Amino acid sequence: MTAAPHTQGTVLVVNSGSSSIKYQLVDPVGGDAIASGLVERIGEEIGTVKHVVGDATTVREVPVADHGEGLRIVLGLFDEVGPELSAAHVIAVGHRVVQGGPVFDGPVLVDAEVERQIDELSPLAPLHNPANLTGIRVARALLPDVPHVAVFDTAFFHHLPAAAANYAIDREVAAQHRVRRYGAHGTSHQFVSQEVAAFLGREVAETSTIVLHLGNGASASAVKGGHAMDTSMGLTPLEGLVMGTRTGDIDPAVTFHLMRNAGMSVDEVDDLLNRRSGLKGMTGQNDLREVHRLVEEGDEAARIALDVYTHRIKKYVGAYAAVMGGVDVIAFTAGVGENDDIVRALSLAGLERLGIEIDAERNAGRKKVPTIVSTDGSATTVVVFPTNEELAIARQSVEVVGA
């Protein structure tokens, strides 16, 4: 199968994890995903490679020794199954990088110095930046004739107001160890806040939007006039909303309490708060579909967990409405935000006096396309808006290459 030539060019978007590679070949003009795929279980005895083109899915179960082997298999599938990358006119490879720290406030063309800086920032995202950097180095070696662009999850929040970005700790300690609010999911928050304004026929510069990016990882943002005013994730993605396995906001003294009284080490507390908390910690399940099932069966712990989850979202909605002096649009996005009507309804229930009112019929069911779910009389427009981080990365990559 050979793809028709794309005169404007395409972008290969790569998201490299510690044992996986997600990829997508994107038409940045039309917004279509021409092909996509996933390499999983890298380094294990048998890995899985899935390559999707249109309605055709090719699956291979083969040993994938490392990221280099994984990407070589992916490039071989483009040649064998299609679309051929040469015919698709790939003009850039865009890489997702989680942490740009205080260094990167936008996408950059990758060179040796950028690689060094991404590596240097790894202590701020030890689970992500090393894997992201591995993907960059492997892809640059295998595709040396195409420019590579790094797009940072934190970049959209780089210029947060000082009141939002700074923690109230010793300023010398904060400066020395780069402690501040960096946020995450910034590519999604930026994309949704801009695109939802266009969908509603409004000027971004005149719109105050709360974006609720709800997935296994979850974050909220306050975006006024196209600029981020606040966001729920902090130095790391642990802060903020309740998530699948992360606790979100918690008294920092819980850490001291557990170390002193439960004999837990720093690593054990880290594992508890990041991997054994959130919905999973409260119910044993990190998938909200399972939590809803447990609630329907009368499980009291699941009911409380769902209440805690949506209560936290509601608190952030109220806080961000105050931060911006009012809110015009609330946008639900990502896996839970787009698909879970119960969470959407509970998160905004009782906010009518703030001018926020959900229409039960409009809100019902999953939403695959942008959908207004508020009532006609709601002063704040509530929208379910599917995110597309790959398209956002592709478009930012094109801007960098064009510049």
Side-chain angles (χ1 to χ4, degrees):
M1 182 187 301
T2 302
H6 290 261
T7 56
Q8 300 297 320
T10 61
V11 176
L12 180 62
V13 176
V14 177
N15 182 353
S16 179
S18 58
S19 61
S20 67
I21 302 171
K22 287 177 64 178
Y23 63 92
Q24 195 170 107
L25 183 65
V26 179
D27 174 2
V29 177
D32 297 325
I34 302 163
S36 63
L38 175 64
V39 184
E40 293 184 289
R41 301 203 298 274
I42 294 173
E44 298 184 22
E45 185 174 347
I46 295 294
T48 302
V49 184
K50 182 167 70 173
H51 184 77
V52 181
V53 186
D55 296 329
T57 299
T58 302
V59 178
R60 301 277 168 83
E61 293 196 353
V62 293
V64 184
D66 51 33
H67 286 73
E69 177 65 16
L71 199 52
R72 277 189 287 271
I73 293 171
V74 169
L75 296 179
L77 285 168
F78 274 111
D79 287 337
E80 177 186 342
V81 180
E84 294 178 7
L85 295 182
S86 57
H89 185 42
V90 177
I91 59 174
V93 180
H95 297 270
R96 177 188 182 228
V97 181
V98 166
Q99 182 57 264
V103 180
F104 299 105
D105 64 355
V108 293
L109 198 64
V110 177
D111 57 18
E113 176 60 15
V114 168
E115 288 189 3
R116 185 194 68 78
Q117 290 171 312
I118 292 172
D119 186 38
E120 191 176 79
L121 292 167
S122 289
L124 295 175
L127 299 179
H128 298 95
N129 270 38
N132 301 155
L133 182 57
T134 297
I136 288 172
R137 286 173 169 163
V138 166
R140 289 186 74 201
L142 293 176
L143 297 167
D145 299 324
V146 182
H148 292 251
V149 177
V151 178
F152 299 89
D153 273 8
T154 55
F156 185 51
F157 302 119
H158 186 92
H159 297 293
L160 282 176
N166 285 274
Y167 290 110
I169 67 170
D170 184 288
R171 63 186 183 187
E172 292 183 2
V173 172
Q176 181 180 355
H177 297 285
R178 296 174 169 179
V179 176
R180 58 153 282 179
R181 181 178 305 283
Y182 292 110
H185 299 146
T187 306
S188 176
H189 286 280
Q190 183 177 22
F191 175 83
V192 171
S193 60
Q194 291 176 345
E195 293 294 320
V196 77
F199 169 69
L200 296 173
R202 304 181 184 185
E203 294 293 331
V204 174
E206 299 174 358
T207 306
S208 295
T209 304
I210 294 173
V211 179
L212 299 170
H213 178 108
L214 308 179
N216 193 50
S219 58
S221 68
V223 184
K224 186 172 184 177
H227 301 286
M229 305 301 292
D230 208 340
T231 190
S232 59
M233 286 181 167
L235 174 74
T236 76
L238 179 60
E239 189 180 1
L241 304 180
V242 176
M243 305 175 222
T245 64
R246 299 181 192 131
T247 178
D249 292 338
I250 191 170
D251 181 348
V254 170
T255 300
F256 319 144
H257 174 78
L258 293 173
M259 293 175 69
R260 289 169 178 155
N261 296 287
M264 297 178 74
S265 67
V266 171
D267 288 341
E268 287 172 331
V269 175
D270 187 327
D271 181 68
L272 171 69
L273 299 185
N274 276 291
R275 298 179 182 85
R276 296 191 289 120
S277 295
L279 293 172
K280 186 175 182 64
M282 290 187 286
T283 70
Q285 302 288 340
N286 66 315
D287 188 323
L288 264 161
R289 290 169 294 190
E290 290 300 306
V291 174
H292 290 314
R293 180 183 61 79
L294 291 172
V295 171
E296 290 174 0
E297 293 175 356
D299 189 304
E300 181 66 8
R303 185 193 64 76
I304 292 172
L306 183 60
D307 287 346
V308 171
Y309 184 92
T310 55
H311 177 77
R312 186 78 54 82
I313 295 170
K314 188 178 296 185
K315 284 177 65 175
Y316 271 91
V317 168
Y320 287 170
V323 164
M324 295 189 292
V327 56
D328 303 313
V329 182
I330 296 173
F332 286 91
T333 195
V336 175
E338 295 165 25
N339 296 310
D340 196 322
D341 51 2
I342 297 174
V343 164
R344 294 194 298 261
L346 291 176
S347 298
L348 301 183
L351 299 183
E352 291 82 7
R353 292 184 67 180
L354 296 182
I356 302 168
E357 188 172 0
I358 287 274
D359 183 294
E361 187 174 340
R362 292 175 179 175
N363 183 54
R366 299 181 176 186
K367 309 298 179 187
K368 297 182 179 296
V369 297
T371 306
I372 295 173
V373 297
S374 49
T375 65
D376 292 336
S378 180
T380 298
T381 305
V382 182
V383 182
V384 180
F385 199 97
T387 192
N388 192 333
E389 292 173 275
E390 289 80 12
L391 177 58
I393 291 171
R395 287 178 173 170
Q396 290 188 43
S397 299
V398 169
E399 289 177 7
V400 170
V401 171

